[in-house]
Amino acid sequence: MPGAGDRGKALARWLGAGLLGLLIPMSLSLEVSVGKAAVIYAVNGTEVLLPCTFSSCIGFEDLRFWWTYNNSDSPIIEGTVKNEKSDPRVTLKDNDRITLEGTTKEKKNNISILLRDLQFSDGGKYTCHVKNPKENNLEHNATIFLQVVDELEEVDNTVTLIILAVVGGVIGLLILILLLKKLIAFILKKTREKKKECLVSSSGNDNTENGLPGSKAEEKPPTKV
């Protein structure tokens, strides 16, 4: 019968294999992105691009992608990408106002869609889904929100400009103070050095007048006996 040590080694190997099986797909998995903006605003009657890109460090083959609207499982557009050298191909579309604007050229892996003739009812949640057979058909997705408005509001940057001006003024004042401080320190240093030189010169003159050793005293005529 196997001992406790053998059972422990077998359990450790089993756990190690399980963890490795979990970590490898996580490290090699697809990444799907819809950009940095969580919400996109667009004017009623115009068009808007909903971005979506994907990336994979292990490559892809016969990749499947689709977009869904709000909580519906039915895709509004669906397609496939054969490989890195092939452009995305649409296989299903339920609205003529939706077109695929993506490309895989130059490794952009872009599967964005364009919505034309926007209506207020188009506002909502749009989710980009991707499946890669090389990853056992694991699904990856990213969501973006669209808000359709009458007109885009102009952003008032007055407060921002005021804040920037104040911050810039404070920084400029601090720099000026530091420069003035250094200039004053330099002037004081030079003044002290000059004062020191004057003191040394004055001391030398005093020694000469008093006829101290090492000085040139004024010669006096000899005293007559």
Side-chain angles (χ1 to χ4, degrees), residues 12-224:
R13 286 196 298 269
W14 181 79
L15 289 174
L19 288 173
L20 185 63
L22 289 174
L23 291 174
I24 289 178
M26 288 173 63
S27 61
L28 301 179
S29 64
L30 274 173
E31 291 185 2
V32 182
S33 172
V34 290
K36 295 181 180 180
V39 181
I40 291 182
Y41 296 88
V43 178
N44 182 39
T46 63
E47 61 185 30
V48 64
L49 182 72
L50 300 182
C52 182
T53 58
F54 65 89
S55 62
S56 174
C57 58
I58 62 172
F60 59 90
E61 187 175 347
D62 295 326
L63 179 140
R64 177 179 169 237
F65 67 90
W66 68 99
W67 283 80
T68 56
Y69 175 63
N70 285 338
N71 296 322
S72 174
D73 294 329
S74 301
I76 57 176
I77 188 170
E78 185 177 352
T80 60
V81 187
K82 185 173 181 59
N83 51 49
E84 288 91 341
K85 297 181 180 179
S86 304
D87 273 336
R89 183 174 65 90
V90 176
T91 58
L92 181 147
K93 184 172 65 171
D94 74 343
N95 193 324
D96 292 335
R97 295 187 297 116
I98 303 175
T99 57
L100 179 68
E101 298 292 323
T103 179
T104 54
K105 293 179 180 178
E106 299 179 358
K107 297 183 179 181
K108 291 182 178 179
N109 296 341
N110 189 342
I111 48 176
S112 305
I113 59 174
L114 183 70
L115 302 183
R116 292 189 174 90
D117 300 325
L118 284 176
Q119 304 169 5
F120 289 110
S121 58
D122 291 327
K125 179 178 71 172
Y126 290 82
T127 305
C128 178
H129 306 259
V130 178
K131 273 188 179 181
N132 186 9
K134 282 192 173 183
E135 297 181 12
N136 297 322
N137 284 320
L138 290 175
E139 180 191 334
H140 310 269
N141 62 71
T143 298
I144 193 169
F145 292 87
L146 172 64
Q147 188 169 341
V148 182
V149 296
D150 281 323
E151 59 181 10
L152 294 177
E153 296 181 359
E154 294 185 3
V155 179
D156 188 2
N157 294 322
T158 304
V159 176
T160 304
L161 292 174
I162 292 174
I163 293 174
L164 290 175
V166 171
V167 172
V170 171
I171 293 175
L173 182 60
L174 290 175
I175 294 174
L176 181 61
I177 291 173
L178 290 175
L179 292 175
L180 287 174
K181 185 178 179 181
K182 288 190 175 183
L183 179 60
I184 293 172
F186 177 77
I187 294 173
L188 291 175
K189 181 180 178 182
K190 289 296 181 181
T191 303
R192 285 194 295 268
E193 290 177 353
K194 189 172 181 180
K195 187 175 181 181
K196 186 176 180 181
E197 291 176 358
C198 291
L199 290 174
V200 172
S201 176
S202 176
S203 176
N205 291 336
D206 292 343
N207 290 339
T208 301
E209 292 175 357
N210 295 329
L212 294 178
S215 63
K216 292 183 178 181
E218 184 180 353
E219 293 184 0
K220 297 182 180 179
T223 305
K224 292 182 180 181

